[in-house]
Amino acid sequence: MEDHPPPAPPPPQPSLPWRIGSAFLMGFVGINSRIFMNVANSTEVHGLDRFLRTLDRRKDPERRTRGLITVSNHICVMDDPFIWGVLPFSYQLNPNNHRWALAAHDICFTNKVFSTLFSLGQTLPTHRIGHSPLGGLFQPTMTEAVRLMSHPPFTTPYSSPTSAPPVDKSLSSPDITDPFSSPNHTYTYSTNGIDTFPAPSAYDTRQYSWIHVFPEGRVHQHPQKMMRYFKWGIARLILEPDECPDIIPMWLEGNDQIMHEAREWPRFVPRIGKRCGVWFGDNVGGDGSIIFNELRRQWRELVAEDEKKEGRGFAMGVLSDGLKYGKEAVALREECTRQIRKAVLAVRRKRGLADEDPKQGLVETWRQEGGKREGKMEDGSWVGRT
């Protein structure tokens, strides 16, 4: 097995101006989302006290022992940030204990202004496989997400000022770094070998972070409140981190009426006077999860076998071809994703909805859509960009 040089200790946190900017933006968006969801609309919330206790236990980054994943259906292009309006005001102002999310590179990171805003808002630039050949579950942002769910430092160093791609300083470029960091603390990564974005997982205060995932991969508004199949990227966030994350499934309703895919002009204006709902389920991850810990045990065995075969160790979030495309690895990701979808369906059932047709969870069912990616589908559902 190849020996890696001991990694340099990471800086404890981003620069003070970056932290202030992130706290201001997260607080501004969160507080306005709370006002919008509870004043301009009405929101029914279940299980919030239990979820807040989970966040309270994670308040001190140094005492965290695992990451947190929240996972839900996706019914509105503004689900995030709207759904986090259910959090009390005091929870909106601490980015260290707030969610990270995956955001579309071709929508949210098209220039320096957007990149700065969405990075301060704790989103990671993600290529969508339907819109870019760089998409998929093995893109660099997925490696960054796996590391956010783990504990730094990592054996593979981040880009340094001398090794990173040159930063395009024009406003039309999406490239950004933390401009207030010292030259020795510029931690970045690239999604395509050309662009440059901050690498939040380098910092101690970002260890074992919270990531929210919409595994359907797109907005799906179904008349019977059914979900699409789940994509496998979420399995990487469960199988690969150094500890099994806490996993809290959620169910969302009503946001589709705020921003329905069939809405007419003005399309960009959220509607008001709607009834919404957010249901938080029980934690199905962590040490108490028999299913996910067994899947993780099998994954670690695969990794050990592949490392022995390759004659080297793999850095956190870095996979060999065998771990990407091997039959056993694919089967583990598929089963992990199936179990996550079952957990979300359990919250849906607890909310009082009838069980859906099991075929809804199969990729083959949705292939019947053909090449149509957005708009009204034959089953009466509406699909839109996420």
Side-chain angles (χ1 to χ4, degrees), residues 247-267:
I247 305 167
I248 297 181
M250 299 169 58
W251 182 255
L252 314 178
E253 289 186 13
N255 294 351
D256 52 332
Q257 300 306 310
I258 293 176
M259 296 284 279
H260 198 280
E261 289 299 310
R263 66 192 182 278
E264 298 182 351
W265 192 89
R267 282 185 61 84

Side-chain angles (χ1 to χ4, degrees), residues 43 51 80 114 127 138 146 150 174 204 244 249 280 285 289 295 332 335 346 366:
T43 303
F51 181 64
D80 190 321
F114 279 14
H127 294 280
F138 303 121
V146 169
S150 305
D204 280 347
C244 183
F280 292 92
S289 171
L295 292 173
L332 279 177
E335 176 61 17
W366 300 98

